[in-house]
Amino acid sequence: MDIEWAKTRLEEYLVLLGRFSPSTTSTGQFSGGDRSALPALQEREPTVREILKTLDSTLGNFRLEPGRSGNLSDIAGRVRRGLGILADRKEWAIRLAPDVPQLGADQLHPWVWEAARSLWESKHFRLAVQAGFTSVNARLQAKVGRRDASEDKLFQDTFSDDPPKAGQPRLRISGDPQDQTVASKQRGVRLFALGCAWAIRNPATHEDGEWEEQEALEQLAALSVLARMIDQCEVIRVEDE
């Protein structure tokens, strides 16, 4: 819901109600109030009803009946309750939200967050993700001592099942390589790294426009997982290097 728009519509309607506020005599004639406000009240009534129904299904169940005693007071009360809901709506979302784990960007792996932080703080979320990936790639290059390959090629070489070659060290998950869990993680990190390059880095680099903050945060989190895996891997080189 556009809270500011809804708030403005309700406030305007409340002002019109205050202007009109007629009373009726025993003969049913209007007495007092600004009768010129009635057409505007009638015109805006459907929108006000829809807003109130959206906020609380019971609030929008009214019809403007200027000649009926208490009708305008009842409507004004409904509008005020709607304004009260709008005023506290954001706070309800914060204060009444269920207790769930919170992902703090500053708790991501430093390779990712330190590179992304300045762009993130300036609301350049897509470029922040791109910077995070570039940082992970640069750290991997430094860890294995290679500048001749990057991204796809570097991931494929570094996590290859083949033994290391001269100038092409490998990264291995710590633990017994014969252990099924270790072997599974070893296969997984290579595919995960390639997935990050294809599904995160490429769109961040080649797409136009800005990304949603939540989407970008989730992608930074994926890069943080990759960075942590790379950081914890052991470098295996040929013996004569």
Side-chain angles (χ1 to χ4, degrees):
M1 172 182 282
D2 186 334
I3 293 178
E4 290 305 316
W5 170 83
K7 181 172 179 288
T8 298
R9 291 292 180 270
L10 294 184
E11 288 175 340
E12 291 172 349
Y13 201 75
L14 198 58
V15 169
L16 287 171
L17 284 170
R19 277 179 50 198
F20 184 65
S21 59
S23 59
T24 55
T25 65
S26 58
T27 61
Q29 299 297 312
F30 285 107
S31 174
D34 180 2
R35 294 187 61 187
S36 67
L38 181 58
L41 282 170
Q42 293 171 326
E43 179 181 336
R44 300 185 186 199
E45 177 188 344
T47 297
V48 170
R49 282 206 312 269
E50 289 304 312
I51 292 172
L52 293 177
K53 284 179 183 177
T54 301
L55 296 174
D56 183 328
S57 60
T58 66
L59 290 181
N61 297 327
F62 70 88
R63 293 286 178 182
L64 181 65
E65 301 177 44
R68 187 166 65 83
S69 176
N71 176 253
L72 296 182
S73 295
D74 174 65
I75 295 174
R78 291 169 183 266
V79 173
R80 290 190 186 95
R81 287 194 290 276
L83 286 168
I85 293 172
L86 287 174
D88 291 339
R89 193 180 184 95
K90 290 183 179 179
E91 189 166 356
W92 290 355
I94 296 172
R95 305 296 184 187
L96 302 180
D99 292 331
V100 296
Q102 300 295 315
L103 177 62
D106 60 346
Q107 299 301 307
L108 298 176
H109 195 284
W111 292 358
V112 174
W113 180 240
E114 289 174 5
R117 181 172 183 172
S118 61
L119 287 163
W120 190 272
E121 290 176 346
S122 61
K123 308 298 183 182
H124 294 93
F125 302 124
R126 178 176 60 82
L127 294 179
V129 173
Q130 181 187 17
F133 182 90
T134 299
S135 174
V136 173
N137 181 72
R139 297 284 188 161
L140 175 57
Q141 287 180 316
K143 181 160 184 164
V144 297
R146 292 190 64 180
R147 297 292 185 273
D148 61 320
S150 64
E151 300 171 3
D152 299 26
K153 174 65 172 172
L154 185 61
F155 291 145
Q156 290 171 353
D157 287 353
T158 301
F159 295 109
S160 170
D161 292 333
D162 295 337
K165 301 176 182 178
Q168 293 187 16
R170 310 299 187 204
L171 285 187
R172 296 289 183 255
I173 296 291
S174 298
D176 181 359
Q178 302 304 315
D179 181 85
Q180 287 188 347
T181 299
V182 173
S184 177
K185 290 176 66 177
Q186 184 66 45
R187 291 192 300 272
V189 68
R190 180 175 65 86
L191 296 174
F192 183 63
L194 290 170
C196 286
W198 297 333
I200 296 179
R201 181 268 181 193
N202 286 352
T205 301
H206 300 300
E207 287 184 357
D208 295 323
E210 192 50 84
W211 285 357
E212 293 293 330
E213 183 175 3
Q214 180 63 31
E215 177 188 2
L217 180 59
E218 291 168 3
Q219 300 207 11
L220 282 184
L223 296 180
S224 178
V225 172
L226 177 60
R228 208 170 299 280
M229 289 179 173
I230 293 172
D231 196 15
Q232 294 173 351
C233 279
E234 299 177 359
V235 180
I236 308 299
R237 306 178 188 275
V238 295
E239 294 181 0
D240 59 350
E241 279 194 300

